[in-house]
Amino acid sequence: MQPNKITKTNNNDKDNFLLLKKNLQDGFLALKLNFAKNPNITYLFKQHCKLIDKLLVQLWAELHVDASCCLIAVGGYGRGELYPHSDIDLLILVPEQSQDNTKLSREIELLIGSMWDLGLNVGHSVRSLSECIIEAQKDITVQTNLLESRLLSGDGALYQQFLKDAHKLADPTAFFEAKIKEQDQRYAKYNDTAYNLEPNIKESPGGLRDLHMIAWLARTLNLNSNSRSGGNIWNLLTRHHVISAKEARLIRFHEKKLQFIRIHLHFLSNRREDRLLFDFQNEIAATLGYTNNSRKRASEQLMQTYYRSVKFIELINEILLKQFKRMLSTTPTVILPINARFEAHDQLLEAKNANLLQQQPSAIFEAFLLLQQKPELIGMGATLLRNLQRVKNLVNRDFRNDPQNKRHFMEILSQANGVNHALRAMNRYGILGSYIPAFKRITGQMQHDLFHVYTVDEHILNVLANLRRFSKVELKHEFPLCNRLFAEFDAPYLLYLAAIFHDIAKGRNGDHSELGKVDAARFCKSHGLPKADSELVAWLVESHLKMSATAQKADLSDPSVIESFAHLVQNERRLNALYLLTVADIRATSPHIWNAWKARLLENLLHETKRALADPVFHAKQTITKRIAEASEKLTRFGISPQTYQHMWQQFGESYFVRHETDEIAWHSRLLTPHLNSAVPIVRARLSPYGDGIQVMIYTKDQNDIFARICNFFDRMGYNIAEAKIYTTNHAYALDSFIVLDQSDKSVSYSGLLKFIESKLTSQLDENIRLESPLQGRISRQVKHMPLQAQVTITEESDNNNHVVNMIANDRPGLLATVAQQFLEHDVELRNAKINTLGNRVEDTFLISARNGEKLDVQHIKQLQQSLLKNI
């Protein structure tokens, strides 16, 4: 199709085309301006469809498309719900045996081409009636489109036959089952959660598509309505007593909220954009009247209300789909008794008495407990779910103080199966937040840090889910150590309580770990936990960040670090519990944040701390002796005699054995013994034996800019430096060890890659080659719209001349090389580095001193701090 074919005929046609285009542009602008002044969603949809209808009908007439055909609006356009930049879905219905009609084909080609030339985003299909039926039988999406159609122009009789045949086509039961499968697949695409920081407002669980699902399925129930609009569907369902008038009002309220946001997304982005990106959250929040306050940004307030709407839509979707399934069923309901108060209806839990929950609120927790204890039950029935929503207000102070309810809650946490499902259901149905008011405050709350990609409540439940995975024998291959430790732990429900409370104080003024500790202690006491168990839960909440911080920021090869951490945990029970909670917590922040490097750091810290706890006289000297003995044994197995490497060890000094682990010592010794006084740099790379990245060793005569050169090199390779050990020997050689991670997921030949690193990095260390400036990479879109205030703190170590630099900043390409450049310019000697990247946030720790290990003065430190803040 050539552009503007309609303009090729004569000047009148050209003028008509330009007029149509101008009318479309003017009409769209008027819609936008009018919505800004008077944001009426129904009016916008109506006027937008009217604008497009008029244009298409006029175009159809001017191009003289065969009168035996039909131009039909389908999809969202067909139901009269056309968003500013949504596709305009069209079906061109042609008579049978017309596909070989060359004249008709040219007419349709010209029609579609002209629509695109006008600037319309058209999605179209050209089919005969029989082809529509065939395609609908093969594709549920096509069949769904047939439910939502409007005749725009053409043969009315053919369109009526189309409606008649389409109506005959739909087998309600088969259609229902296919749409349920489609929804399950859609949910899986979004990791079965609506609570991402940048959700898709249309397709995510709890989005507008969930309401479309209800409308589509309702039309297959033969409720005798020709309604096409989503708004009238709720009135129809109310008239037929499928939903209550209150439910209809709530559905429409939350639907309008999501529709309003989606319309603004389209206008702001000037495209079909259904993701609620950071780029637009602030503007939409301002439009809705939210303002920043001392506790939450306007965008955070917007998102919390959004997530609460999503939660309601998910719930009503679940209730109505269960109800529709029962209405469509042609077989009698199978009812089986469970106990005096409950029974199963086709494997769904229902109360025997419709007023049970109202009359006996303790039955609320009993219902969740039964779902855990009866594996044959697949969930709650629609009636029970509705009643649960009606009595939520009964989960109040009196309910929380009732000893029977407290026992039931602890029983739920103590079950062998279904703990995760029960807690998720309690949150989904609004019960968990009512029972634990502090939890209600963080329901739907964003964590404005790009590290946690879920809302606080979703993150907490993900932590709980990870702990539950550790308990399952069939999943032990995922985390064998966690599975073993969990099996040995005597009271798993304490871990679950710690998970529930570990981030429960997020968003309050103050340290959330300290505030959460108070909440946890109070809850444990009120539920009658033994003092030792209550103290463990409170301590885990208070300390839940300590193990990851120690593993990722401190030098674990330093025995004093291990001693300090052992003093913190005090005993092995606490250590094991903290390890399990830490692994579960890190893995629950984001699908991409966990890696083998972090796994090894935490395992090393766990094992070394256990050794320290088991040895009451644990000290650095023992560690050094042990490492020397183990390294010597390894070297002997390689046929290397002690006389060969002893001289090298003397030159490296005793502190070398404090800073390096056994495996590193053996590796260095094998490679460097013949090259102790090498005149050229020696670079060696290998895949880490622990599977946590690439280990790179650099050995060369000491020079001030080595770290900056190395950082520049890996920046340009696109590799992240995870850890750097900077060591200077007694004879003035630099021995630097790095762990680098490939973030690109490229398929590479590792043997070739390792050789490339060795040769290329060796050449880059030549001090005669000019040091390149750090990369100035662009920050990511997310960071741009959710910026982090950079922080640099420099503290003095009490027992030596070193200072610790802690840096928090937005990540970007070239950042670490920039820091290295600043150290170089300020004549600072780097002694160690831990590089910790958390999504788009970095938390790096550096151990520094003045040259030759001397102490930095106050003025020097101040200048370095200011310069780092300015440049990062």
Side-chain angles (χ1 to χ4, degrees), residues 701-709 726-728 732 734 736 771 801-803 819-832 847-857 860 864:
K701 288 182 178 178
D702 199 14
Q703 60 191 63
N704 293 345
D705 62 357
I706 292 175
F707 185 65
R709 288 177 180 273
I726 314 299
Y727 185 74
T728 305
D736 297 346
L771 176 63
N801 288 341
N802 299 332
H803 284 76
V819 173
Q821 186 75 32
Q822 291 304 306
F823 289 157
L824 183 61
E825 291 179 7
H826 287 79
D827 206 28
V828 165
E829 188 171 286
L830 179 65
R831 311 187 70 79
N832 203 36
L847 190 68
I848 62 171
S849 70
R851 288 295 165 197
N852 302 315
E854 295 178 1
K855 193 169 186 176
L856 292 163
D857 60 49
H860 201 160
L864 174 63

Side-chain angles (χ1 to χ4, degrees), residues 223-260:
L223 298 178
N224 301 319
S225 170
N226 294 320
S227 166
R228 297 280 176 231
S229 73
N232 285 336
I233 278 290
W234 314 129
N235 295 335
L236 174 69
L237 292 175
T238 305
R239 288 198 303 273
H240 287 269
H241 309 292
V242 178
I243 59 176
S244 67
K246 181 181 179 181
E247 286 174 330
R249 286 194 302 272
L250 285 170
I251 291 171
R252 191 69 187 119
F253 170 80
H254 292 293
E255 181 183 42
K256 279 186 173 180
K257 185 186 294 182
L258 267 59
Q259 288 175 332
F260 182 84

Side-chain angles (χ1 to χ4, degrees), residues 196-211:
N196 296 303
L197 296 190
E198 294 183 304
N200 187 306
I201 202 165
K202 177 184 175 185
E203 301 288 350
S204 291
L208 288 165
R209 188 60 86 204
D210 278 14
L211 295 178

